[in-house]
């Protein structure tokens, strides 16, 4: 909070300082604060009722996949029970899960979607 971004130099020695000779000084170090956000996988679940074309549509519209990628993911979920639609930061993942569930509910399909920390 109180870091100017540069090194102080009180003319004394110490880590981050450049001169002086008394062996004392304020310890400062430049440290860009770039904490990487946690990432979350958005998972699509298989069911026996949702039409394949509806799932492909969701993968195209909500997850930005082209037709080929969308069909691949849909078939993976159909065959294996679960599959990854994408990896996002928490709020983006949360929003996409909600969009899938709401869009499916509106069209009376039971398609389910969830998220999981990577
Ligand atoms: N299993 C569905 C069917 O045979 C298709 C489907 C694929 C449903 C993926 C959901 O996440 C899903 N019509």
């Amino acid at each position: 909070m109180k870091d100017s971004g540069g090194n102080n130099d009180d003319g004394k020695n110490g880590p981050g300082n450049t001169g002086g000779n008394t062996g004392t000084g304020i310890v400062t170090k430049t440290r860009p604060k770039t904490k990487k956000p946690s990432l979350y996988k958005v998972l699509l679940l298989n069911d026996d009722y949702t039409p394949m074309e509806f799932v492909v549509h969701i993968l195209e519209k909500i997850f930005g996949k082209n037709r080929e990628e969308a069909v691949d993911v849909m078939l993976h979920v159909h065959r294996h029970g679960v599959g990854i639609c994408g990896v996002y930061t928490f709020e983006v993942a949360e929003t996409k899960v909600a969009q899938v569930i709401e869009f499916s509910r509106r069209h009376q399909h039971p398609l389910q979607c969830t998220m999981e920390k990577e």
Side-chain angles (χ1 to χ4, degrees):
M1 285 295 262
K2 264 179 70 184
D3 194 327
S4 63
N7 286 329
N8 294 328
D9 192 339
D10 57 2
K12 298 169 182 171
N13 283 341
N17 291 339
T18 51
N21 59 8
T22 68
T24 65
I26 299 168
V27 178
T28 62
K29 228 174 184 181
T30 302
R31 174 171 55 86
K33 62 168 180 193
T34 54
K35 279 215 286 293
K36 296 188 201 139
S38 299
L39 294 176
Y40 294 79
K41 292 179 282 203
V42 172
L43 305 174
L44 206 55
L45 307 180
N46 189 36
D47 66 71
D48 293 337
Y49 306 102
T50 306
M52 290 185 173
E53 187 52 45
F54 184 82
V55 178
V56 169
H57 179 80
I58 280 188
L59 288 163
E60 289 176 331
K61 299 305 169 192
I62 299 180
F63 296 96
K65 308 230 175 267
N66 63 36
R67 191 91 198 158
E68 194 180 325
E69 294 167 336
V71 169
D72 279 356
V73 172
M74 182 280 293
L75 285 176
H76 176 96
V77 176
H78 177 70
R79 290 168 181 151
H80 298 97
V82 61
I84 301 172
C85 305
V87 178
Y88 308 95
T89 54
F90 185 87
E91 282 177 274
V92 174
E94 206 183 27
T95 299
K96 288 188 186 289
V97 168
Q99 286 172 338
V100 170
I101 293 172
E102 173 54 17
F103 189 68
S104 301
R105 191 202 62 79
R106 248 173 53 213
H107 289 82
Q108 304 188 307
H109 295 310
L111 183 62
Q112 285 300 306
C113 188
T114 187
M115 60 194 269
E116 179 181 283
K117 197 165 197 248
E118 270 217 313

